[in-house]
Amino acid sequence: MGVPAETASPPGAPQHVAIIMDGNGRWARQRGRPRTFGHRAGVEALRRTVEAAGDLGLRYLTVFGFSTENWTRPPDEVNALIDLLRLYVRMDLDRLEREGVRVRIIGDRAGLEPDILDIITRAESRTAANTKLFLTIAFNYGGQCEITRAARRLVADVAAGRIAPEAIDATAFAARLDTADIPDPDIVIRTSGEQRLSNFLLWQAAYAEFVFLETLWPDFGRADLEAALAEFRRRERRFGAVVS
Ligand code: FPP
């Protein structure tokens, strides 16, 4: 991202929440159902969360939908996850557009199927003028991959004489990430009790507050989002400085 830490939102007023939506598989197993059942319930939780985020006045919501590592899952599950992006955009795009949500997809687009690329372009272009809530879906996303692609862009820009090596700083680097014009997350929430970043927003989460919840993602709703925001308000953010 491009907004330096000192310009992030003041304490108590988070503007950007990022979520690792974890626990779909366990939620399904608890019910004796296939993992894909959990992912479908996960889409319902995403719907509830987008609505709650808008109601609670958040400006940016970023969710981890499919990681560059998820390709190693069984092919049926990979296909189901990709299908869910198709389904989500097909079913929800009209409503998102109407309700002022701007949709962005971040991640590596190389190698994605043409129809997925088409869906991504359509979702982004149809909502491009919206400003109420910026919903970013990380799809085929990995933080290391994103940083590597940014480094490649930077090297290409140096080679083409667009930027001098001495001019490379954190701002120049962040401007070449997928999240270029999105402020850094104030909070990263991970559900299901796991306490890892799993390659999500590695650069951008430098000063994020982490909130780990036991709730499995399909059970997540407004109350959990409010609990995470309340936890954030109890934290003291110092951005590397000391508070006297
Ligand atoms: C982690 O749960 C969840 C995922 C890998 C996918 C998240 C996807 C959704 C919530 C569906 C909505 C997605 C889009 C793109 C609209 P897990 O399968 O790792 O659960 P487990 O840790 O319990 O096995």
Side-chain angles (χ1 to χ4, degrees), residues 62 69 102 120 148 157 163 235:
T62 300
E69 287 72 39
R102 180 167 182 180
I120 289 174
T148 309
D157 286 345
I163 183 168
R235 305 270 177 95

Side-chain angles (χ1 to χ4, degrees), residues 21-27 35 39 42-43 46 64-65 70 73 77 81 84-85 88 137 139 217:
M21 310 182 285
D22 198 8
N24 296 345
R26 276 163 286 170
W27 186 89
R35 295 175 56 80
H39 295 315
V43 175
L46 176 60
F64 206 176
N70 286 155
R73 294 189 176 206
E77 185 173 347
L81 282 167
L84 283 179
L85 179 70
Y88 180 65
I137 301 172
F139 190 82
W217 175 251

Side-chain angles (χ1 to χ4, degrees), residues 1-3 8-10 12-19 53 56-64 104 106 133-138 179-189 200-201 204-205 207-211 225 228-229 232 237:
M1 86 75 323
V3 180
S9 54
Q15 60 168 342
H16 185 176
V17 172
I19 309 183
L56 295 170
L58 293 175
R59 292 303 309 287
Y60 298 87
L61 176 68
T62 300
V63 295
F64 206 176
R104 267 269 289 276
I106 57 168
L133 175 70
F134 292 74
L135 170 64
T136 302
I137 301 172
T179 51
D181 46 5
I182 302 172
D184 285 343
D186 299 295
I187 315 177
V188 175
I189 299 172
F200 186 47
L201 302 179
Q204 299 86 341
Y207 285 98
E209 295 293 328
F210 290 85
V211 177
L225 185 58
L229 296 175
F232 174 84
R237 301 186 85 193

